[in-house]
Amino acid sequence: MEKNLTADQKAMVKQLTAFAEQHLAPLDHQIDQTGEFSQAAYDLLIQQNIPQLGLAKPYGAGLSTKSRALVLSIIARASASLAVVLEGLWKAAEQIDHYGTPEQKKQYLTRGHDQLMGFAITEPSGGSLRGVQTLAAKTETGWTLNGEKAFVTNGGQAGTYVVLTREENGEFATFIIDADMPGVTITAKQTTMGLRGVSVAGIHMQDVQVTAANMLGRPGQGLDIARRNQAIARIFMGAIAAGVMEHALDCVKMYAAKREVVDGTLNTIPAVQTKVAQMTIQKRAGELLAFDAADQVDQHVDFEAAATMAKLYGGQHGFDVTNQAIQIVGGLAYTHEFPLEQLLRDVRALDLAEGSAEWLLQDLGAIELGVADHQNTVDNRPVPMAKRIAVSDLHRIVKQLHLTEDVPVNVGNVKTAKRIIALGRGALDPAVVLQAQQLAKWIGATIAVTRPLTTLEQFSVDQQIGLSGATVTPEVIITIGISGADQFVIGMVGAEHIVAVNQDETAPIFKVAQHAFVGQAIDFLTGMLSALN
């Protein structure tokens, strides 16, 4: 790992490696058990000046991008969760440092020394226009923000959020807002299976008043900021995945040296040596891709393709390396000494962060083909009025779709169910989930989810619909809070009747739906339950 490092970087690696082994590894076990990242844990990082590494000299970019990627990789060897917490802070700080005014840098980056930040980018993937549900309306003194972001790293713990919005003229703008501003509400934190302790929550904005002092960059520059943030985040996630692979290899090496076999120890077995060699190559390739992409940032050349490759490789091969490590270690992979099952959950969550493999491949192909900008100019016309339904129409929809007739007693799994209620990121409110489950019970439907929700404790991969999940052909599918990315739609477009619920009237899901409910999920569900009664 130390090849091509400066003397300062080598010294930093030595210092941080010792700190991570002594303090962060035991802390990671506690975080995984409790599911909470405490202020005491963050204070420990502050004492070592770790968060400040990306926030100093004089306002930002205390380290080069390569050095920050290196730090995240080392932290991830002890705790992937802590590395992701830092990643959430640093990617927000990086954008403020790159696009902010001197006043913004001084105000927000100084505050970031002891307070987390969150970057509330588009849903569901990076710079795509399809997910921008936060609107910025021009006023005499500035703008009024309305909308929400469903999945924000450090959400609920961050004091500052960087938010991408869509303006009335169709352009995009980015604003820096504080969690305590009037009209800002942080939604309930989500419990994740992987990366335990990382605070994931949504941010809801209702008539939030902002001025030019809150705008990051210039008007119309929001999408450029979002795409840069996405690329930076992919580099960081690639580096974290490399750190997780290193941790998995450390477990294998330690176990193989201890495990006695007939003629010595496990590390003398040729088959084990071959497998470890393959894992080492995969880990090293992940490091090189992440650090090469980071170097391109520091050299001020176009780094979007390299960043995408780093994230794509890290996500896919991180899972592969960890899984191979489990095969070698066996039953001890569940122990505190060899926490490989925990690492497998972490790397699964990392694989989903900042875009699925399908999105990443599509992005990379578009970049290489020179049509990346075209991807961000999708058809965002509102759903036609002929498709729209209101609460008053739900009695008719219930009858039209025969939802009270022949209600299945055994609903089956996602692949075989005749009726499905599919939940996306816009349906994460516990009250929405509860009512969706009630509706499913009354009409004999099974609950399905989009890929990002499979990392949450209450759902599983068996419930996933899409290109990397199940392909379904039910009689009726009701999608709630799903924007309609191609990767999801391809898995359910064969449904006989599609009812879509989304707040964004331009959501792509409406293009394949026969019935479109534009509004709050809770209003639709309440209306459906009333209609069934």
Side-chain angles (χ1 to χ4, degrees):
M1 178 182 287
E2 294 187 357
K3 291 181 180 180
N4 301 321
L5 299 185
T6 65
D8 288 343
Q9 287 173 334
K10 290 179 181 179
M12 181 180 67
V13 168
K14 183 177 180 180
Q15 176 186 352
L16 285 178
T17 300
F19 171 72
E21 291 174 351
Q22 294 172 15
H23 299 285
L24 298 188
L27 182 61
D28 184 61
H29 176 65
Q30 176 187 341
I31 291 172
D32 187 62
Q33 293 297 308
T34 63
E36 293 291 334
F37 174 67
S38 66
Q39 182 61 43
Y42 193 59
D43 289 343
L44 178 64
L45 298 180
I46 292 174
Q47 290 169 13
Q48 295 295 316
N49 295 322
I50 293 175
Q52 295 93 313
L53 289 174
L55 297 168
K57 299 180 182 179
Y59 300 123
L63 294 179
S64 66
T65 307
K66 180 177 180 179
S67 292
R68 280 181 282 175
L70 185 62
V71 171
L72 290 174
S73 180
I74 295 169
I75 299 298
R77 288 177 61 180
S79 173
S81 294
L82 292 177
V84 170
V85 169
L86 281 176
E87 183 267 347
L89 167 66
W90 284 356
K91 70 182 178 185
E94 203 276 343
Q95 301 310 300
I96 295 174
D97 180 67
H98 192 78
Y99 293 100
T101 64
E103 293 77 14
Q104 288 173 334
K105 294 176 184 181
K106 184 175 182 179
Q107 178 181 355
Y108 294 107
L109 297 184
T110 302
R111 184 186 303 175
H113 284 184
D114 53 17
Q115 190 179 75
L116 290 172
M117 295 182 190
F119 199 105
I121 199 170
T122 57
E123 298 86 30
S125 75
S128 168
L129 306 194
R130 296 177 177 178
V132 184
Q133 298 181 12
T134 300
L135 301 179
K138 197 77 176 70
T139 66
E140 292 184 1
T141 58
W143 295 264
T144 299
L145 308 186
N146 281 283
E148 62 182 346
K149 304 294 181 182
F151 248 55
V152 184
T153 303
N154 295 337
Q157 288 187 323
T160 302
Y161 294 86
V162 184
V163 180
L164 177 64
T165 69
R166 184 172 62 201
E167 297 184 82
E168 295 169 313
N169 60 4
E171 293 187 339
F172 294 81
T174 299
F175 294 93
I176 310 172
I177 66 173
D178 294 325
D180 58 0
M181 290 175 68
V184 175
T185 304
I186 306 301
T187 61
K189 295 181 184 178
Q190 302 298 319
T191 302
T192 58
M193 294 292 288
L195 300 174
R196 300 266 289 164
V198 176
S199 181
V200 177
I203 178 171
H204 181 80
M205 289 152 282
Q206 183 172 359
D207 297 331
V208 177
Q209 304 298 315
V210 293
T211 67
N214 299 98
M215 178 175 280
L216 185 61
R218 62 180 184 273
Q221 198 178 18
L223 195 58
D224 293 335
I225 295 174
R227 288 181 62 180
R228 178 184 171 86
N229 170 78
Q230 181 184 54
I232 293 290
R234 287 175 175 177
I235 294 171
F236 287 165
M237 285 296 181
I240 292 171
V244 174
M245 287 189 266
E246 183 85 42
H247 191 174
L249 271 167
D250 289 343
C251 289
V252 169
K253 293 174 184 177
M254 185 165 53
Y255 173 78
K258 291 182 178 181
R259 179 73 165 89
E260 294 185 359
V261 291
V262 176
D263 296 324
T265 52
L266 192 64
N267 56 10
T268 63
I269 304 299
V272 174
Q273 294 170 348
T274 299
K275 184 165 284 192
V276 169
Q278 294 170 339
M279 296 163 64
T280 302
I281 292 170
Q282 290 173 299
K283 183 269 299 183
R284 182 60 178 157
E287 289 175 346
L288 292 174
L289 283 169
F291 297 155
D292 174 65
D295 270 334
Q296 292 186 31
V297 178
D298 296 331
Q299 293 165 12
H300 305 290
V301 297
D302 188 5
F303 59 90
E304 196 170 356
T308 305
M309 283 188 278
K311 171 63 180 68
L312 183 63
Y313 188 94
Q316 292 180 331
H317 291 274
F319 183 86
D320 186 35
V321 167
T322 307
N323 199 39
Q324 290 183 65
I326 289 175
Q327 294 173 21
I328 295 173
V329 175
L332 289 179
Y334 293 89
T335 64
H336 174 41
E337 186 178 13
F338 305 107
L340 290 166
E341 280 294 333
Q342 175 188 335
L343 293 187
L344 195 64
R345 298 196 309 269
D346 288 346
V347 80
R348 171 68 173 165
L350 285 172
D351 188 30
L352 295 174
E354 308 302 335
S356 67
E358 293 81 12
W359 284 329
L360 290 165
L361 285 168
Q362 184 179 349
D363 285 353
L364 180 58
I367 293 167
E368 292 299 313
L369 291 169
V371 294
D373 289 334
H374 176 72
Q375 285 198 148
N376 293 303
T377 56
V378 298
D379 180 7
N380 60 347
R381 288 175 294 180
V383 59
M385 295 302 297
K387 280 189 177 185
R388 298 197 186 200
I389 56 174
V391 172
S392 58
D393 298 313
L394 296 181
H395 287 277
R396 173 176 58 84
I397 297 300
V398 167
K399 291 181 180 180
Q400 182 179 336
L401 301 183
H402 308 289
L403 295 180
T404 58
E405 302 173 16
D406 301 322
V407 177
V409 177
N410 297 314
V411 299
N413 58 34
V414 168
K415 292 182 180 179
T416 61
K418 292 184 178 181
R419 298 173 180 179
I420 294 174
I421 296 177
L423 306 179
R425 283 177 167 172
L428 288 176
D429 188 307
V432 171
V433 175
L434 186 64
Q435 285 204 329
Q437 291 170 335
Q438 182 67 54
L439 176 59
K441 180 179 179 181
W442 284 8
I443 67 173
T446 191
I447 296 290
V449 296
T450 56
R451 183 172 180 175
L453 269 65
T454 60
T455 62
L456 303 181
E457 197 166 16
Q458 64 264 49
F459 304 118
S460 72
V461 293
D462 294 332
Q463 295 172 276
Q464 180 189 338
I465 291 176
L467 189 60
S468 56
T471 298
V472 300
T473 55
E475 294 174 359
V476 177
I477 183 168
I478 301 173
T479 71
I480 302 177
I482 295 174
S483 64
D486 294 341
Q487 290 77 13
F488 172 80
V489 170
I490 199 172
M492 51 70 71
V493 74
E496 187 175 344
H497 296 286
I498 302 171
V499 180
V501 180
N502 200 292
Q503 294 184 79
D504 180 8
E505 63 178 5
T506 67
I509 193 68
F510 291 139
K511 295 176 183 177
V512 297
Q514 287 85 24
H515 305 288
F517 185 95
V518 180
Q520 297 286 341
I522 200 73
D523 294 337
F524 171 83
L525 289 166
T526 302
M528 282 293 290
L529 293 173
S530 176
L532 288 167
N533 271 330

